[in-house]
Amino acid sequence: MSPADPSPVTRQGASPREAPADGVRGRVTVDGKFFRLDGRKFLVKGVAYGPFRAGDGTAGFADRDRTRRDFAMIRELGANVLRVYAVPPTWFLDEALEAGLRLLIDVPWHQQACFLETEERRRAARQAVRRAAEECARHPATFALCVANEIPPDIVRWHGPRAVEAFLEELIELVKQSDSDCPATYGNFPSTEFLQPREADFVMFNLYLRRRADFENYLARLQMLADTRPLVIGELGVDVLREGEAAQAGRLAGQIEAAFQGGAAGAIVFRFTDEWHRGGREVTDWAFGLTTRERAPRPAFAAVREAFARAPRLLEGPVPRVSVVVAAYNAARTLPHCLGALTRLRYPDYEVILVDDGSTDATPDLARDYPGIRYFRHERNLGLSAARNRGIELATGEIVAFTDADCRPDEDWLQYLVHDLLKLGVSGIGGHNLLPPDDSAVAAAVMAAPGGPLHVMLDDRLAEHVPGCNMAFWRSALVEVGGFDPLFRRAGDDVDLCWRLQAQGARIGFSPGGFVWHYRRSTLRAYLRQQHGYGEAEAWLERKHPGRFNRFGASRWRGRIYGGAPFVSLPGRPIIYHGRYGAGLFQTLYGTDASGLLALATSLEYHVLVELPLLVLTVVFRWLWPLAMGAVALPLLVSFLAARQVRLPRRKRRFWSRPVVALLFYLQPIVRGWARYQGRLFLGQTPRRVRLDFRALTEHRPEDERGQLAFLAPAGLDRLTFLQTVRTRLETDGWRVRPDAGWSPFDLEIYGSHWSKLQLTTAAEYEPDGRPWIRCRLRTAATLPGRLVFWALCGLALVGIGLVRGEPGPAWFGCLLPVAWTLWLRRDQRALRRQVAVFLRRVIETLTPPPPHP
């Protein structure tokens, strides 16, 4: 070893070692949904080891010679991680490092007792974890510390899940105090599935299931619980005494393969040898070992070795060609990260298409630095959907994948997406988008704020929506639905596409392992501008998919939103299925989702309809001041509670992080809601010029005043053709029309002025002689602006009455304002009904063939 080489950590007189078997002395770090070691992805391929009868005076570990021989066999197995159940001495860490092994160290303490009952037991647990962290955390052979393993469910139920979670997080914090770089976790199992300490760097579950299908199904559920963190299967094993050696070999190989293909960051086989001790006694009634007590390999040894060597083995044989489309507009800041990562993808057959949507910065110059990437430029900015549609046109692959110019895909991104796309048999697939480790602390606060690009899950595998920065579809499915709607220039195109695909019966899957790093907005102003754009997109989405929005214009998701900051939940005990007497094998959390009432407290509607009226009324009714102040304080309180609940990356936390997140929770609903209402208020109006031109050319009949019309249908004209003709001609003439998306009680909604709209409903009927008629119902209503003006006038009248008490004249005049508005609105609606009636009659006349010449 040259003098320049770094020396390993040595203690207790241990001598420095030569380079380890893998040639790497670096530390394993968390890297998104996986781990990384010296720049390379590190998949945990582990085996449980010990504890043994004391050797060399060290409880839980064999002597040094036995250890070295075991390590040689473990390296032959292809493992790179040992899970040990006692804190190892320094010589053991050094030997592991020399053998190229990393250690997952379980910290033993009295977990089988009611440990929160006394301060003495809590202190003993803290001391055990602190001592283990001080002795092992900084050693390069340490992969991670596990602060507890399989706390019994009855103990958890005795203390309460929240109290146990809080204590686990306290123990994890002790590890971080010794070394902030050392990953820490808790060894969970299905009987306490509901325990989810937020500060754990990765999620680890011990999982013993017989059938591979059950294993895969539960793995998918665990990925939803892990969310954006790595998932490690901490133990999987088969007892030879009860199952037999053949079952052990086959099941372990299948479950290892399923774990890695399911996006897990690693799997640890329980255990290396049948020799192990528990509670000071040798275990003889179980035989989980890949080797016997005498270290004779079982058939499972070779099966696991082969499974480790092949992992993750996502794709075999011919693979479909993939076209990766990147739409860029003034993306010079992040484009090199994106294109550089795309050139390093580990997928055998793909192309990258960069569509420059009229950028005015250095984007074209940067594109020239990557000659292997196909480049196409729009001369002017046409919008995100148009750029993605151009990519679909240029694509030569069977699958078209999309990411954004501010994203950096993981090197195995396409492998996981395509594997899960094929396995699930879906039309499209998506994955996580995570905060890059080199992004700023402001970006971390933005990531924790509401309104980011998130996925919405219908179950553990199928999604209702996947964000546009990480999605892939069969090209044939995109062509069938007409690609992206160019109406969406900045956002909302991915939501619209997912909903349209699902309306045609397509399914969209989710790939936990296929993730991209997504650079967030780097300033609060940029974030709020992004949210304003999202609000505008929601207004257009509501016009196209009214059944997926509530009366306030907010989207109604059928699935559950994942990947972002949880909103405020009401305090109280979670709802957990414990099984009879708390002994269920699978104990599931069904509890506290975000409270809709508390979410409403920060909405724009709350500020306008509750907070503002109370403040106005206090001018007249002084006794309302306490209620008004409470209304003002409520959204502030909710925002701070939300900021407390979010999970911020440890390295990105600053003293101002949570106050900034609270500010964004307060401002985001206002900014996004205002943009949404701008769209709802002003997108629906038919231009005045169009209405005046039409009014000058039309003559109405007395029957046009009625709300129902009937037309004798020309030969060959059915109701659907009639409706399509009406819609096409209205849009051609410049009218604003919203068709039924399958959820409305009308066929077409036709907008007149800002204040009035008409809902057209049709039905086909036939006379006894077979003559077809098309019946039309014309029902007018006030638009949202019309209703808002009415309620504003009612509010002014109420305030006026309070201000002029004892003055009946002005009070009556104030009451006449909403009445006058209602009368004028009825007049405007009658005019719209007459115009539409004349329009429908003209359509029928143009579709009726002329009589034959005599």
Side-chain angles (χ1 to χ4, degrees):
M1 183 170 62
S2 66
D5 290 336
S7 299
V9 176
T10 58
R11 291 187 304 277
Q12 301 176 7
S15 59
R17 293 289 178 182
E18 299 295 329
D22 60 359
V24 176
R25 289 190 178 276
R27 300 284 299 275
V28 177
T29 58
V30 176
D31 186 62
K33 289 288 291 180
F34 297 97
F35 302 99
R36 197 164 289 272
L37 175 62
D38 279 12
R40 293 177 295 174
K41 184 171 288 187
F42 183 84
L43 294 176
V44 176
K45 303 173 182 179
V47 61
Y49 187 74
F52 304 118
R53 183 182 291 111
D56 283 359
T58 305
F61 296 92
D63 60 59
R64 208 159 188 156
D65 290 338
R66 174 79 274 174
T67 298
R68 287 176 179 173
R69 293 196 298 273
D70 285 347
F71 282 3
M73 290 190 69
I74 290 169
R75 288 300 299 175
E76 181 186 348
L77 183 67
N80 55 18
V81 168
L82 289 185
R83 183 175 183 183
V84 295
Y85 299 89
V87 178
T90 301
W91 67 262
F92 190 91
L93 290 162
D94 292 339
E95 291 288 350
L97 184 64
E98 182 179 0
L101 299 171
R102 294 329 190 251
L103 302 183
L104 172 58
I105 302 169
D106 279 55
V107 182
W109 50 274
H110 199 185
Q111 304 163 28
Q112 312 300 316
C114 296
F115 50 85
L116 295 183
E117 286 289 282
T118 66
E119 177 58 31
E120 181 182 359
R121 288 175 176 175
R122 293 196 295 270
R123 188 186 306 113
R126 295 189 193 104
Q127 289 175 350
V129 172
R130 186 183 293 110
R131 187 181 306 112
E134 291 173 351
E135 294 178 0
C136 304
R138 295 182 181 276
H139 197 288
T142 299
F143 162 60
L145 289 182
C146 179
V147 299
N149 182 56
E150 292 191 4
I151 298 175
D154 53 326
I155 299 294
V156 177
R157 192 173 67 152
W158 178 270
H159 293 307
R162 290 192 174 183
V164 175
E165 279 182 359
F167 189 68
L168 291 175
E169 291 179 358
E170 180 184 347
L171 297 181
I172 291 172
E173 179 61 29
L174 291 176
V175 176
K176 297 300 181 180
Q177 290 174 6
S178 294
D179 183 6
S180 60
D181 292 331
C182 180
T185 190
Y186 161 66
N188 211 340
F189 68 135
S191 296
T192 56
E193 173 193 294
F194 48 84
L195 280 182
Q196 300 169 22
R198 293 187 303 162
E199 294 301 316
D201 292 292
F202 61 95
V203 174
M204 185 169 72
F205 262 77
N206 305 331
L207 195 55
Y208 295 87
L209 292 171
R210 294 171 61 90
R211 296 174 61 246
R212 175 165 176 169
D214 295 334
F215 183 90
E216 291 178 342
N217 289 337
Y218 197 69
L219 182 71
R221 173 165 178 76
L222 293 181
Q223 285 287 16
M224 292 299 103
L225 295 178
D227 198 13
T228 60
R229 289 177 288 178
L231 171 65
V232 173
I233 305 303
E235 290 178 4
L236 55 87
V238 178
D239 178 26
V240 172
L241 297 182
R242 292 161 179 81
E243 305 287 339
E245 291 188 345
Q248 182 195 35
R251 195 181 304 165
L252 287 180
Q255 291 185 355
I256 290 171
E257 180 181 65
F260 286 108
Q261 290 182 352
I268 298 174
V269 177
F270 187 87
R271 62 187 36 251
F272 169 66
T273 177
D274 286 346
E275 180 192 356
W276 61 294
H277 287 66
R278 185 174 184 178
R281 285 185 259 179
E282 186 173 1
V283 177
T284 58
D285 54 345
W286 299 93
F288 282 86
L290 300 178
T291 68
T292 65
R293 286 176 173 78
E294 294 74 26
R295 305 313 195 259
R298 288 196 171 103
F301 188 95
V304 169
R305 179 176 57 199
E306 183 180 355
F308 279 163
R310 292 182 301 179
R313 201 184 74 161
L314 297 171
L315 298 167
E316 291 183 326
V319 297
R321 181 171 173 79
V322 179
S323 298
V324 180
V325 175
V326 181
Y329 176 67
N330 290 344
R333 184 177 72 90
T334 57
L335 190 60
H337 296 283
C338 176
L339 298 183
L342 288 173
T343 60
R344 297 188 294 269
L345 294 180
R346 294 195 290 220
Y347 189 81
D349 187 10
Y350 75 102
E351 63 175 351
V352 179
I353 301 171
L354 174 63
V355 180
D356 181 356
D357 192 29
S359 296
T360 58
D361 63 356
T363 295
D365 299 327
L366 292 172
R368 297 190 190 99
D369 296 336
Y370 300 89
I373 290 177
R374 298 176 60 191
Y375 175 75
F376 184 90
R377 176 176 171 82
H378 289 161
E379 292 305 318
R380 60 186 180 90
N381 181 247
L382 300 178
L384 180 59
S385 292
R388 285 176 170 167
N389 284 338
R390 179 66 67 184
I392 296 172
E393 294 173 8
L394 298 172
T396 62
E398 301 173 65
I399 298 171
V400 183
F402 299 90
T403 190
D404 290 343
D406 56 357
C407 292
R408 174 166 55 87
D410 178 70
E411 61 259 45
D412 295 318
W413 172 56
L414 285 185
Q415 289 204 61
Y416 281 103
L417 287 188
V418 174
H419 171 268
D420 290 335
L421 183 72
L422 297 174
K423 180 178 180 179
L424 296 176
V426 291
S427 298
I429 198 85
H432 292 282
N433 65 101
L434 310 179
L435 181 75
D438 57 336
D439 216 342
S440 67
V442 174
V446 167
M447 179 199 68
L454 308 175
H455 51 281
V456 182
M457 301 299 297
L458 296 170
D459 57 31
D460 295 335
R461 288 190 174 93
L462 297 181
E464 181 181 359
H465 165 254
V466 290
C469 58
N470 182 6
M471 60 184 184
F473 300 91
W474 291 104
R475 188 177 186 276
S476 57
L478 294 173
V479 172
E480 185 176 349
V481 297
F484 296 90
D485 189 340
L487 180 70
F488 300 97
R489 293 181 56 86
R490 292 195 295 170
D493 57 320
D494 48 358
V495 179
D496 173 66
L497 177 69
C498 290
W499 284 348
R500 283 190 287 125
L501 283 168
Q502 290 165 355
Q504 294 192 1
R507 300 184 306 156
I508 300 171
F510 188 79
S511 174
F515 75 93
V516 300
W517 300 105
H518 189 184
Y519 290 90
R520 264 52 177 191
R521 298 300 188 269
S522 57
T523 65
L524 303 189
R525 182 178 180 183
Y527 163 76
L528 293 176
R529 187 164 57 244
Q530 177 196 48
Q531 295 305 308
H532 189 278
Y534 286 172
E536 292 176 345
E538 282 181 325
W540 286 110
L541 285 168
E542 185 193 10
R543 288 171 58 85
K544 290 195 66 177
H545 309 275
R548 292 182 177 269
F549 289 81
N550 61 26
R551 64 186 306 168
F552 294 111
S555 54
R556 294 189 296 191
W557 297 104
R558 298 186 181 93
R560 181 177 179 182
I561 300 174
Y562 281 86
F567 207 76
V568 182
S569 57
L570 288 169
R573 295 181 61 187
I575 303 172
I576 302 172
Y577 174 76
H578 291 287
R580 179 171 292 183
Y581 307 132
L585 294 179
F586 292 82
Q587 300 192 18
T588 302
L589 175 70
Y590 291 97
T592 57
D593 287 333
S595 168
L597 290 176
L598 293 178
L600 183 62
T602 59
S603 66
L604 178 65
E605 292 82 5
Y606 173 85
H607 293 289
V608 173
L609 300 178
V610 178
E611 187 178 315
L612 182 60
L614 282 174
L615 289 173
V616 172
L617 288 173
T618 55
V619 177
V620 180
F621 307 105
R622 301 283 183 177
W623 54 271
L624 286 176
W625 269 109
L627 186 60
M629 291 300 97
V632 172
L634 180 60
L636 295 171
L637 175 63
V638 169
S639 298
F640 276 99
L641 287 175
R644 285 190 60 188
Q645 293 185 15
V646 300
R647 183 175 184 267
L648 289 165
R650 182 177 295 271
R651 292 183 176 277
K652 305 296 182 183
R653 296 175 191 171
R654 304 291 186 270
F655 71 91
W656 45 260
S657 294
R658 294 197 186 277
V660 166
V661 174
L663 176 65
L664 296 182
F665 264 96
Y666 184 85
L667 294 178
Q668 186 266 354
I670 299 174
V671 173
R672 189 161 175 168
W674 172 242
R676 184 171 64 244
Y677 274 103
Q678 281 182 300
R680 298 181 73 198
L681 290 171
F682 304 118
L683 288 179
Q685 176 187 244
T686 294
R688 187 169 183 270
R689 170 188 53 79
V690 173
R691 291 182 284 113
L692 291 178
D693 291 347
F694 186 83
R695 188 176 301 172
L697 297 174
T698 58
E699 294 181 3
H700 69 275
R701 301 175 184 176
E703 61 266 24
D704 295 339
E705 295 288 344
R706 299 195 297 267
Q708 293 191 21
L709 300 172
F711 302 104
L712 182 64
L717 179 67
D718 61 88
R719 186 178 69 90
L720 297 182
T721 304
F722 169 71
L723 282 171
Q724 186 59 42
T725 304
V726 169
R727 177 188 175 185
T728 301
R729 294 191 180 183
L730 282 170
E731 291 177 339
T732 302
D733 289 346
W735 288 77
R736 296 290 186 263
V737 183
R738 185 178 78 171
D740 170 37
W743 305 93
S744 306
F746 54 81
D747 298 318
L748 297 174
E749 193 165 56
I750 304 167
Y751 291 83
S753 65
H754 273 306
W755 323 112
S756 301
K757 63 183 178 181
L758 181 142
Q759 295 174 349
L760 172 64
T761 308
T762 62
E765 64 178 14
Y766 296 87
E767 296 288 347
D769 58 5
R771 289 184 303 165
W773 290 80
I774 295 179
R775 299 186 66 87
C776 302
R777 178 188 294 129
L778 285 66
R779 179 174 293 166
T780 55
T783 61
L784 176 63
R787 296 196 301 272
L788 290 177
V789 170
F790 173 78
W791 289 111
L793 292 176
C794 289
L796 288 175
L798 183 61
V799 172
I801 291 173
L803 291 175
V804 295
R805 287 189 295 258
E807 302 264 347
W812 279 109
F813 177 77
C815 291
L816 288 177
L817 290 177
V819 175
W821 174 254
T822 301
L823 294 175
W824 183 90
L825 201 58
R826 293 288 177 86
R827 178 175 174 272
D828 190 59
Q829 292 171 7
R830 285 197 301 271
L832 176 61
R833 185 164 55 242
R834 287 196 300 267
Q835 289 176 311
V836 174
V838 172
F839 189 92
L840 296 176
R841 190 169 62 250
R842 287 192 172 188
V843 170
I844 288 291
E845 291 172 356
T846 57
L847 294 175
T848 303
H853 292 289

